[in-house]
Amino acid sequence: MDGDLDQALDAVGPRLRALRRQRETTLTDLSAETGISVSTLSRLESGARRPTLELLLPLARAFGVTLDELVGAPPTGDPRVHLRPVTRHGMTMLPLSRRAGGIQAYKLIIPVSKRDPTPQTHEGYEWLYVLNGRLRVVLGEHDLELAPGEAAEFDTRVPHWFGAVGDEPVEILSLFGRQGERAHLRARPASRAQPA
């Protein structure tokens, strides 16, 4: 049993490093988010420090994964997917996809805020679909308001910001590709009626 435990704990460091790189986060950024020193994070990733529950809990929260995923626990046979929401800056983000790389899917719940828009840029491409509420999208020179059922797509290198409009939060679906992958929707033309 001790050999299995040692093997599981030895695999945590490479898994942490892979998660951090996949999310394009630096050790400094992760340290600021978790309160764990950069040197401790570095030693955890290299295997020079043995992971403890006190270190793994904030890391799991920061990466939006379960402790089981961090330590590579064996499957329990339960087929249900246990989605774990992550809240940052008041916005709740629920990851809907779990594969590494490629297009990632999220459900976002953005609270009402009276803050002025602060457009940001980063690598990638994003597609948004409004489920409930109204969404304000500031995209470059454009300032748009989207209603339920409306969608927007854009290159995230264009300065952008989005938030709730009105007195209630807005719920949206987001597809995001870090490397600029785009979601393509293709509709087939209706089949033509064959002459009799």
Side-chain angles (χ1 to χ4, degrees):
M1 183 69 168
D2 286 341
D4 290 342
L5 178 61
D6 288 338
Q7 190 175 12
L9 292 177
D10 288 344
V12 170
R15 200 171 284 116
L16 287 172
R17 181 179 290 117
L19 281 168
R20 183 176 59 77
R21 287 181 176 165
Q22 175 187 333
R23 286 165 174 74
E24 297 179 354
T25 301
T26 65
L27 286 172
T28 304
D29 291 340
L30 188 57
S31 174
E33 189 171 351
T34 61
I36 301 169
S37 73
V38 171
S39 64
T40 298
L41 290 170
S42 178
R43 292 191 335 258
L44 276 172
E45 284 188 3
S46 69
R49 168 99 188 234
R50 193 168 172 98
T52 63
L53 190 58
E54 290 80 16
L55 296 172
L56 292 176
L57 282 173
L59 288 167
R61 192 173 305 118
F63 287 128
V65 299
T66 65
L67 281 174
D68 285 352
E69 289 173 286
L70 273 186
V71 299
T76 62
D78 185 348
R80 292 175 292 182
V81 175
H82 301 280
L83 301 173
R84 301 272 189 239
V86 176
T87 302
R88 288 197 180 113
H89 311 292
M91 178 173 62
T92 301
M93 179 173 62
L94 185 65
L96 301 175
S97 55
R98 301 174 71 81
R99 68 184 184 104
I103 294 177
Q104 301 294 313
Y106 302 93
K107 178 178 179 184
L108 303 175
I109 303 170
I110 305 170
V112 175
S113 173
K114 301 300 180 200
R115 294 184 314 180
D116 290 330
T118 52
Q120 305 289 318
T121 62
H122 51 87
E123 287 294 317
Y125 199 83
E126 189 153 6
W127 181 85
L128 304 171
Y129 178 84
V130 180
L131 296 168
N132 292 304
R134 299 187 72 76
L135 179 71
R136 180 179 178 195
V137 178
V138 175
L139 180 62
E141 301 297 319
H142 303 282
D143 194 337
L144 310 167
E145 189 173 312
L146 303 179
E150 291 187 304
E153 64 176 312
F154 54 92
D155 186 321
T156 57
R157 292 175 295 184
V158 174
H160 62 282
W161 175 92
F162 40 88
V165 175
D167 298 331
E168 60 184 50
V170 61
E171 294 180 43
I172 63 174
L173 291 178
S174 168
L175 295 179
F176 175 73
R178 281 198 186 280
Q179 304 303 323
E181 298 98 336
R182 296 181 183 208
H184 295 283
L185 301 175
R186 291 186 175 81
R188 284 188 253 189
S191 60
R192 295 184 184 161
Q194 298 293 329

